[in-house]
Structure formats: structure tokens, C-alpha cells
Amino acid sequence: MEGRLKTAEIKLLLKECVEDGNVHPIDDFKRYIAGKTGKPYSIGQLSGSIAQLAALGVLENVDRGLYRKGNSNDRGTDKKDQSAMDYENRKDYQNKTNEHNEVKQDNETKQANETRQDNEMWRNVKIFLTGAEKELADIVGSANVWNLSSREFELLREVKELGERMNAIAARC
């Protein structure tokens, strides 16, 4: 695809972004790249660039999704730099990449499980709200409005509004 950012360009932009020495979340990287180039790139290119630069010590992973400038003087911006690394550094890099991929896979599995639990929770909320709203509608519908005082009539109106609000919330679940 013409006009697409190359991974080496992304690496250079990431290095520029962390030059200030501050801690940056991944969204900072995305905004920085968009502001500097406006060219499209894939999330895989970005995450791969971050992982490679972190493995080389160009970026330091401070916490999940947070990075700052690392202590390495290695440019880490093109294939020539990688091929110049000695055998032990390449082996170490591969081990770090494999560990990163395993952790990433574990995190994705955990997120999928949490998403399923969240979906189940919202289904249960929807079932509850729908049932409660129907019961309120039955109560409001069975009220003999001719025998209610103005205070009771106002309270009945509020209960009806509450049922409508519960129905609206249930529709969003």
C-alpha cells in the first residue's frame, strides 16, 4: 500500500517521542505518529516496533502500556542494526520477544474471560431491569387514579417515570 508508514519510520518516531525522558502511554505514541506523518500504519507495526525497541533497550517498559527512553545507545531503527548484533544479543532478543508474546497471549485470554463475565453481568442487569420495569408497569396500570390524592398521583407519576428509565437502561445493556 503506497503511502503507508514503514516499521523503521515508526521506530524513529517512537525514539523521537520519548526523547523528552517522560513516561508515555501508547496513546501518546499514536498521537505523535499521527501528528508527525498522518500516514496509515497497522497496530501490529506499532506493537512490533515497541516490542523490538524495548527488547533492544531503546525503550524502557515502565508499566503495562507505559514507556520511556531506555538506556541503550543502539539505534534499533533498521535491519542493518539488527544484523550487526552478536549472536548472544539476538538470542536474548528472541527470548524476550517470546516471553512478551506469551505474556501478551495470557493477557488476551484474561481479557476474553473478563469480557465474558462482563457480558454475563450486563445480561443479568438487563433481565432484572426488564422484570422490575414490567412489575412497575403492572402496578401503575392497576392503580385506580380516581381515588388517589394529588400527592399519591404525583408519586405514581414518578414510579411510571422510573419504570420508563429502567426500560431505557435495559435497552442499553
Side-chain angles (χ1 to χ4, degrees):
M1 177 179 204
E2 190 170 279
R4 188 173 193 86
L5 269 179
K6 299 207 181 305
T7 302
E9 293 173 300
I10 293 172
K11 289 179 191 177
L12 285 171
L13 290 167
L14 293 175
K15 281 187 60 186
E16 286 176 18
C17 183
V18 297
E19 279 299 313
D20 61 6
N22 294 327
V23 175
H24 294 275
I26 293 172
D27 283 345
D28 280 1
F29 294 154
K30 291 176 182 177
R31 281 190 292 273
Y32 188 83
I33 292 169
K36 287 286 189 172
T37 70
K39 292 181 180 179
Y41 60 91
S42 73
I43 295 301
Q45 281 180 290
L46 178 61
S47 63
S49 296
I50 292 170
Q52 289 174 357
L53 292 175
L56 293 168
V58 176
L59 292 178
E60 178 186 350
N61 185 346
V62 177
D63 199 358
R64 182 176 177 174
L66 297 174
Y67 298 88
R68 70 176 159 217
K69 183 178 180 180
N71 294 326
S72 173
N73 290 328
D74 187 345
R75 292 183 329 173
T77 56
D78 59 28
K79 291 180 181 178
K80 290 179 184 175
D81 289 339
Q82 290 177 9
S83 64
M85 291 172 22
D86 66 349
Y87 174 76
E88 288 301 315
N89 285 341
R90 282 183 291 196
K91 194 165 97 174
D92 185 47
Y93 168 77
Q94 187 61 46
N95 288 340
K96 286 181 181 179
T97 301
N98 288 342
E99 289 171 13
H100 169 77
N101 288 339
E102 289 172 8
V103 168
K104 183 178 175 185
Q105 195 171 23
D106 288 344
N107 287 339
E108 288 171 353
T109 301
K110 183 178 177 183
Q111 287 174 345
N113 288 337
E114 289 171 354
T115 299
R116 278 194 291 278
Q117 290 171 349
D118 287 348
N119 287 342
E120 171 109 10
M121 180 196 71
W122 290 118
R123 263 193 307 277
N124 289 336
V125 168
K126 183 176 186 171
I127 290 168
F128 169 78
L129 289 174
T130 302
E133 186 272 330
K134 286 179 183 174
E135 287 186 38
L136 284 176
D138 290 345
I139 292 168
V140 169
S142 68
N144 185 352
V145 294
W146 300 112
N147 293 335
L148 297 177
S149 68
S150 60
R151 184 183 145 303
E152 290 171 327
F153 189 79
E154 179 62 24
L155 188 59
L156 185 65
R157 187 188 61 75
E158 289 178 25
V159 169
K160 182 180 181 218
E161 288 174 359
L162 175 62
E164 290 169 354
R165 180 78 176 120
M166 291 169 76
N167 189 36
I169 293 170
R172 292 189 352 228
C173 291

